[in-house]
Amino acid sequence: MKQVLPKATSEGLSDIDIDWLHMLQADWQALSDLAGADLILWLPDSQGGFVAAAHCRPATSATVHLDDVVGLALPSARVDFMSEVFETATRQVNPQRRWTGLNTVSEILVPVVRDGRAIAVMARESTSHLTMTSHGQYDWYQQASDLLCRMVSEGTFPYASTPTGGQRGTPRVSDGVVRLDQDGVVLQTSPNAISAFRRLGIRQHLVDKVLVEQITNLQDEQHRTVDETLAVVAMGRASWLTEIEIRGVCLTLRALPLFERSERSGALLLVRDVTELRRRERELMTKDATIREIHHRVKNNLQTVSALLRLQARRSDSQEVKDALGEAERRVATIATVHEALSHNVDESVAFDEIITRLLVLAATAASADQRVTTSVKGSFGDVEAGAAAALGVVLTEIVTNAVEHGLAERDGHIEIEAIRNGQELTVHVRDDGVGIPEGRASSGLGTQIVGTLVRGELNGTIEWNRLEAPEHGTDVVIRALMVPAAQHG
């Protein structure tokens, strides 16, 4: 089903008209499924003809059109009849039938009326081979479809208020359908609807019973609170969606009120068993909550380790030990920062741009007690998988720390990080305006060894240390990494 009206066909329509047509498209799948027919929305064009603006195929029967018809012009031989329906705003059956393969196509033209005038024409096309309606028990499907078509021509369908079509678990005709009268008494049920309510616990026949009473009796037995929307939906009084859960069985109910001459004559109730869907959703929610809790606890444990290292450094009399423990504390704090970000995220990835600034401030402040070093970030890192984010955070803080301690030793300066992301490929430049590395060689300290190991092992990348030539001065460290998703590691 096409959801966006072509611009060429929407000329001459007001914004309210276009919204009305979009609401029709959001709800006409039920009409198509009940009729077992293709629905085509025709809009008049500037040349006096009509253009197909939207198309809906039935899920309960074979389609008439195998090819996409949206954007095609109406054949000239059919324009006069279509124009008559549009101008008179009168629903009509096309007396002429067309052939498609071995079947004939019958057509009912329904004016789409809003505020008393036709704004489009909906064609309901079906073939002579209708498996769904070949049995007498499904005649009421056709009757319900005819009534909905009449509502389209009277301007009472689509509904002014309707649930979001994209909501997970929204029921369809093929899931199960019940016909109610104006008092909520069941008139007809489809086999799938019977099965769904039996799984819920309603064993007796529903026909001639008030459905909402059968459901509330079950809820009373389970001492469950009755949802305030249940009566509205189960009585068919409003086009809305509700959900019932009893004994672990979950059903969604959607009401389609039926009107005749603007008076409510009953409703269609679509029902769907979403038990398995909700079970999977709960499992995912539990998994997400568990993962966030793990990251939160890891962050707390790392902060405890960081505090112990800081305490041990203060108790040491050796400056060399103090410096080593200080570096270890900074590295642990960097990893803790990444896990803190992950503890607020449902995915196993982190928006690295949100934490890089904190990491830079942490590194620059810890390394520049007697200097004024500023930092800045250009570009975007994008989303980074959890393991790669921890490694990348340690790498960048080590490089920034190295730049402060060596490139900017005993002087003020600036450090800039530029990130260039292209799909899974990430290039990062860390530039400082210090004295520059001697003869293009990086130091061989522990920090540099850690950086090299993480870049090659965890980031699947390479690292270069470049001395900036005059008139610039300083160092440009270039990291090229591959941000491979966790599932592809190994």
Side-chain angles (χ1 to χ4, degrees), residues 162-321:
T162 189
T164 304
Q167 184 172 347
R168 286 174 61 84
T170 300
R172 304 152 297 191
V173 170
S174 57
D175 297 317
V177 59
V178 177
R179 176 75 184 270
L180 305 174
D181 69 7
Q182 63 268 31
D183 298 318
V185 176
V186 176
L187 300 178
Q188 289 101 3
T189 59
S190 72
N192 283 347
I194 294 173
S195 297
F197 283 115
R198 286 196 173 182
R199 284 191 286 271
L200 191 69
I202 301 176
R203 303 297 179 185
Q204 62 269 38
H205 292 293
L206 286 173
V207 175
D208 296 331
K209 302 288 196 312
V210 178
L211 180 61
V212 69
E213 293 179 357
Q214 302 298 313
I215 297 173
T216 52
N217 287 340
L218 281 179
Q219 291 181 319
D220 290 342
E221 291 175 6
Q222 296 293 307
H223 305 289
R224 287 182 174 271
T225 304
V226 178
D227 192 318
E228 60 184 10
T229 63
L230 174 61
V232 176
V233 174
M235 293 288 289
R237 292 175 179 169
S239 170
W240 204 245
L241 186 74
T242 191
E243 189 164 307
I244 310 166
E245 183 174 2
I246 298 176
R247 299 187 184 94
V249 176
C250 228
L251 302 184
T252 53
L253 303 179
R254 164 78 194 285
L256 300 175
L258 300 176
F259 295 89
E260 295 185 61
R261 298 178 181 86
S262 300
E263 295 292 331
R264 189 172 67 85
S265 61
L268 293 175
L269 196 66
L270 307 183
V271 54
R272 180 178 179 182
D273 186 344
V274 293
T275 304
E276 188 62 23
L277 177 62
R278 294 295 181 257
R279 185 187 65 81
R280 291 197 299 266
E281 288 177 347
R282 283 192 288 267
E283 287 181 350
L284 289 174
M285 291 175 62
T286 302
K287 176 184 175 184
D288 292 338
T290 301
I291 291 174
R292 288 196 298 269
E293 179 63 19
I294 289 173
H295 285 301
H296 179 72
R297 294 189 181 189
V298 169
K299 182 262 295 184
N300 288 343
N301 291 338
L302 289 174
Q303 287 181 336
T304 300
V305 173
S306 179
L308 292 174
L309 290 171
R310 183 166 58 252
L311 178 62
Q312 189 65 39
R314 290 174 180 173
R315 294 175 64 87
S316 177
D317 296 328
S318 170
Q319 187 60 42
E320 183 178 353
V321 172

Side-chain angles (χ1 to χ4, degrees), residues 1-2 4-6 40 51-56 67-73:
M1 180 176 64
K2 303 293 182 181
V4 180
L5 299 178
I40 302 175
V51 177
H55 179 203
C56 179
D67 297 326
D68 188 16
V69 300
V70 174
L72 299 181

Side-chain angles (χ1 to χ4, degrees), residues 20 89 111-120 151-157:
W20 187 262
V112 180
V113 174
R114 191 196 73 79
D115 199 20
R117 64 184 181 88
I119 58 176
M151 290 169 58
V152 172
S153 65
E154 294 175 351
T156 54
F157 186 88

